[in-house]
Amino acid sequence: MSATNAGETAATELTIYQPPEAFVRHAAVSGMAAYEALCKEAEADYEGYWARLARELISWKTPFTKVLNESNAPFFKWFEDGTLNASYNCLDRNVERGLGDKTAIIFEADGGEVTRTSYSELLARTCQMANGLRSLGIGKGDRVIIYISMSIDGVAAMQACARIGATHSVVFGGFSAQSLRDRIEDTGAKAVITADNQIRGGKQLPLKSIVDEALALGGCDSIGHVLVVKRSGAEVAMKAGRDLWMADVLAGQPDTCEPEWVDAEHPLFLLYTSGSTGKPKGVQHSTGGYLLHAALTTKWTFDLKEDDVFWCTADIGWVTGHTYITYGPLALGGTEIVFEGVPTYPDAGRFWKMIERHKCSIFYTAPTAIRSLIKAAEANDAVHPKSFDLSSLRLLGSVGEPINPAAWEWYYKHVGGSRCPIVDTFWQTETGGHMITPLPGATPMVPGSCTLAFPGIQAAIVDETGKDVPNGQGGILVVKKPWPSMIRTIWGDPERFKKSYYPDDFKGKYYLAGDGAIRDAKTGYFTITGRIDDVLNVSGHRMGTMEIESALVSCTELVAEAAVVGRPDDTTGEAICAFVVLKRSRPTGDEAKAIAKQLRDHVGKEIGPIAKPKDIRFGENLPKTRSGKIMRRLLRSLARGEAITQDTSTLENPAILDQLGQTY
């Protein structure tokens, strides 16, 4: 897979990597002509294209006759009169086609213990859980919160909810009691599925006690039961009548369970994501359209074959874990790795060791992980990918945030041995699956670019008025047509859905991704340039600046005012920088360090450790315009350590610029 020759490269300034011949020959989408033919098919008959794929990839109980219903735009419906069950599609049908003994999940625990689960075993586990939930009076339309670490039980719990038509909402195990409480209240969930503890990086971290804390905060009256999986065996408090051990609930439950056949638009799950205003948004996904895209993108972007071992390193608490662990690979009858731990424990060679051990062939991870492993590998040969046998790999993927070209090149060369295509995938919680991505047997790759839209996805770049901008000019990323796996609404708040994603600026016609982007003047390839709203991307996870500001200001005894911005960070992509005005005099030295620690811990408690600001800076006040708006652009320049070029003459207290330059 050679780069283009130096002369060409200099002319275009782009290094283009062609997919290897051998890969192209066997790929699900083979060569650019095949990619273009799919795009043309979608263009010529949009509904027919998606209907064909939905019939090919999904098993329907009642076939659909309606494809797309746009009568109540932007509340689009797909395949609405068809009925199906997501768990049946992921489990039963694979057993029915003779894959019962095939390994569905290779689970590796934090300490290295390995459990293999076949499709038949995963189906039996899921059915027992589904029957257990039914025995507690949970059924179609009820919501269940899942707050658990990466595990077979976590995947089975999601599948069990889908099986009985209950809508699951998974909350990442790193979120705080407050964040969990807010999600329980918003969903009105009937039950929480959790574990005594989770084990990460050799440490036991609490889950059940955080659930107790969340329920004690009030507003969670809808919860009837808390089901607790035994993971660590540590002592946990159990409240009689409410808390049940999962093992006791499952005891004696049959391992068969008739699926609840639901219509295609039935909500499969809710997943909360940060918005630019404080309150997290419950993104609602359908069953039919979502499952179709989960399966289709796994087939085309990852080129999944029956003998592949697929490993997506995301957590099931994020959308990537939903689509590319719980649903996509299983819908195709694939074998996948589920990993409980962290990439740096017991050392930074853990990922490479696991790829070697399990003969992983497709590996999908985030740029943050890659960048931190580059650092470790360059400092210590023992954890460098070259010290491991990674010859089983045939495809690499990147997700969560744009990958910088240097990290892409390292990943390509040192992990993929310069032979594996890299699929740099752009998508969001709201989109359900890949939107812009190379197809590995078709698309020539450019480091740092997510290249071209997935066939059938009408992505475009427009200006503030919604007019297309020419290639080579930056603008706002939109999607012009609805697609099957898109967000259906924000749970309980249809107005906010319209305002957030189908704003009036574009006459409510285009889906607004919230990202800026540019297309290369020559290739037409997309590059994502960053958020256009006040949302930061920290290690691939969206954090609303307002959410963090609210958490800081809620420390009322200390904080008078706070403003949060992002700055580039070599490892996490973006780092959170908080500017804080205290209700007392501005601290310095050790005192400032101690208060900064107190504030970080407070944010960790309010939202979760992921939201702790990396930099905290104290000022007597914040820079504001005459109308009282915080000058965020100025704060961004300060956070980055740039020279201040904008007019600061309106500042009543210019001394604060020096004050806010000091980081604690």
Side-chain angles (χ1 to χ4, degrees):
M1 191 174 192
S2 61
T4 45
N5 67 54
E8 260 181 79
T9 306
T12 60
E13 291 182 340
L14 289 177
T15 314
I16 297 177
Y17 291 86
Q18 298 295 338
E21 292 291 313
F23 200 105
V24 175
R25 270 201 305 280
H26 299 290
V29 178
S30 175
M32 271 315 272
Y35 165 80
E36 282 157 2
L38 288 165
C39 295
K40 278 202 185 83
E41 181 192 350
E43 221 158 284
D45 177 7
Y46 193 68
E47 287 190 26
Y49 167 83
W50 287 113
R52 170 177 78 80
L53 292 165
R55 289 187 184 105
E56 281 174 20
L57 285 163
I58 301 288
S59 299
W60 297 88
K61 181 75 173 167
T62 321
F64 58 88
T65 62
K66 294 180 188 160
V67 183
L68 170 61
N69 176 349
E70 300 182 77
S71 62
N72 184 23
F75 300 95
F76 302 105
K77 290 179 175 173
W78 285 88
F79 320 120
E80 60 188 297
D81 60 347
T83 63
L84 73 162
N85 182 281
S87 167
Y88 173 86
N89 271 276
C90 294
L91 303 172
D92 308 59
R93 72 168 176 171
N94 288 317
V95 174
E96 288 164 11
R97 60 189 185 103
L99 300 180
D101 293 337
K102 182 176 179 178
T103 301
I105 294 176
I106 303 168
F107 172 69
E108 181 161 321
D110 185 69
E113 307 80 4
V114 175
T115 313
R116 290 172 172 266
T117 301
S118 69
Y119 272 94
S120 299
E121 288 164 339
L122 186 57
L123 172 61
R125 183 83 181 156
T126 299
C127 287
Q128 279 186 312
M129 271 196 196
N131 290 325
L133 290 170
R134 273 183 178 158
S135 72
L136 299 172
I138 296 164
K140 185 175 172 185
D142 292 330
R143 276 82 56 210
V144 175
I145 294 274
I146 300 175
Y147 184 65
I148 200 166
S149 61
M150 290 292 287
S151 53
I152 295 169
D153 278 328
V155 174
M158 294 164 82
Q159 290 281 353
C161 290
R163 196 162 191 90
I164 60 174
T167 301
H168 59 70
S169 185
V170 185
V171 178
F172 171 59
F175 274 129
S176 67
Q178 185 63 48
S179 297
L180 178 61
R181 186 216 79 92
D182 293 348
R183 286 156 175 75
I184 292 171
E185 181 180 49
D186 198 62
T187 55
K190 269 195 172 177
V192 177
I193 297 176
T194 188
D196 46 11
N197 282 305
Q198 55 177 336
I199 300 178
R200 284 169 72 84
K203 295 188 192 77
Q204 290 195 19
L205 301 165
L207 287 173
K208 169 67 167 64
S209 61
I210 296 175
V211 173
D212 293 342
E213 196 185 329
L215 296 179
L217 289 168
C220 303
D221 300 340
S222 59
I223 295 288
H225 290 101
V226 176
L227 305 183
V228 188
V229 172
K230 220 182 234 138
R231 168 64 186 96
S232 66
E235 284 290 303
V236 290
M238 297 289 279
K239 184 175 170 185
R242 183 192 77 185
D243 300 350
L244 301 163
W245 287 105
M246 180 68 87
D248 296 342
V249 174
L250 302 190
Q253 292 293 350
D255 57 9
T256 56
C257 167
E258 179 62 20
E260 181 76 44
W261 302 104
V262 298
D263 64 75
E265 282 297 316
H266 179 76
L268 178 63
F269 64 90
L270 307 172
L271 193 52
Y272 284 77
T273 182
S274 288
S276 48
T277 61
K279 187 175 172 261
K281 301 181 284 207
V283 171
Q284 180 179 320
H285 274 291
S286 73
T287 302
Y290 168 80
L291 194 62
L292 164 64
H293 206 55
L296 181 65
T297 48
T298 307
K299 186 173 174 167
W300 287 358
T301 311
F302 295 122
D303 194 50
L304 188 76
K305 306 277 191 261
E306 54 192 44
D307 55 351
D308 274 313
V309 175
F310 177 83
W311 182 15
C312 162
T313 68
D315 190 285
I316 52 172
W318 309 112
V319 75
T320 304
H322 282 54
T323 306
Y324 300 111
I325 296 175
T326 303
Y327 291 110
L330 296 178
L332 296 182
T335 295
E336 58 180 356
I337 297 169
V338 170
F339 173 46
E340 181 177 41
V342 294
T344 49
Y345 176 81
D347 60 42
R350 181 70 181 266
F351 274 3
W352 322 133
K353 194 177 287 164
M354 285 179 60
I355 291 171
E356 176 179 87
R357 182 180 193 183
H358 303 301
K359 306 264 187 295
C360 167
S361 55
I362 305 170
F363 180 64
Y364 191 40
T365 196
T368 294
I370 297 164
R371 288 190 293 263
S372 64
L373 296 172
I374 293 175
K375 259 188 205 161
E378 286 179 351
N380 175 7
D381 265 0
V383 298
H384 193 288
K386 68 182 178 197
S387 304
F388 300 84
D389 176 5
L390 306 183
S391 59
S392 58
L393 287 171
R394 65 182 199 90
L395 178 62
L396 301 173
S398 166
V399 60
E401 58 191 303
I403 181 167
N404 47 307
W408 192 103
E409 295 273 6
W410 185 90
Y411 191 32
Y412 181 71
K413 185 177 166 188
H414 295 288
V415 180
S418 303
R419 61 171 199 286
C420 302
I422 296 180
V423 288
D424 171 2
T425 59
F426 167 81
W427 61 296
Q428 301 171 303
T429 304
E430 294 87 345
T431 69
H434 303 151
M435 302 298 280
I436 307 174
T437 174
L439 296 185
T443 321
M445 293 161 290
V446 169
S449 166
C450 48
T451 68
L452 296 168
F454 190 86
I457 301 295
Q458 304 282 324
I461 298 175
V462 299
D463 63 14
E464 279 73 10
T465 63
K467 273 211 260 330
D468 283 85
V469 301
N471 287 359
Q473 207 177 308
I476 298 164
L477 181 64
V478 295
V479 184
K480 290 188 168 181
K481 281 187 174 174
W483 66 100
S485 66
M486 66 187 293
I487 173 175
R488 293 307 196 256
T489 184
I490 290 171
W491 178 255
D493 201 343
E495 276 315 301
R496 188 176 179 195
F497 164 75
K498 277 201 294 205
K499 227 174 29 229
S500 301
Y501 301 109
Y502 281 88
D504 289 341
D505 310 357
F506 307 144
K507 305 189 181 51
K509 290 265 187 276
Y510 295 165
Y511 168 86
L512 176 70
D515 284 285
I518 186 163
R519 296 188 76 167
D520 184 80
K522 290 194 178 68
T523 59
Y525 279 15
F526 288 85
T527 297
I528 307 295
T529 51
R531 300 288 302 170
I532 55 173
D533 53 15
D534 288 323
V535 174
L536 310 178
N537 191 329
V538 181
S539 298
H541 304 309
R542 278 171 29 192
M543 300 289 345
T545 53
M546 191 126 146
E547 207 178 343
I548 304 164
E549 286 168 12
S550 309
L552 284 161
V553 173
S554 71
C555 189
T556 46
E557 70 283 7
L558 267 178
V559 178
E561 200 173 14
V564 169
V565 299
R567 66 161 176 80
D569 182 88
D570 285 347
T571 306
T572 56
E574 233 177 340
I576 301 168
C577 180
F579 296 89
V580 178
V581 178
L582 297 178
K583 288 182 173 174
R584 42 149 289 177
S585 56
R586 185 174 74 88
T588 53
D590 287 347
E591 188 184 20
K593 280 185 196 150
I595 294 176
K597 180 178 178 323
Q598 189 182 342
L599 292 177
R600 280 191 187 95
D601 292 345
H602 179 76
V603 170
K605 200 162 165 35
E606 286 291 304
I607 304 172
I610 199 160
K612 285 182 180 180
K614 191 157 188 182
D615 304 349
I616 293 185
R617 305 180 178 199
F618 297 104
E620 283 161 20
N621 45 33
L622 293 175
K624 290 182 182 170
T625 60
R626 290 208 165 130
S627 62
K629 277 185 94 162
I630 295 174
M631 296 163 79
R632 289 178 187 272
R633 206 167 65 190
L634 180 67
L635 292 178
R636 277 192 204 96
S637 296
L638 282 168
R640 292 176 171 165
E642 297 166 351
I644 304 296
T645 52
Q646 66 193 91
D647 179 20
T648 55
S649 58
T650 56
L651 287 180
E652 54 204 76
N653 177 4
I656 62 170
L657 293 180
D658 284 339
Q659 294 175 6
L660 296 171
Q662 177 67 48
T663 296
Y664 295 98

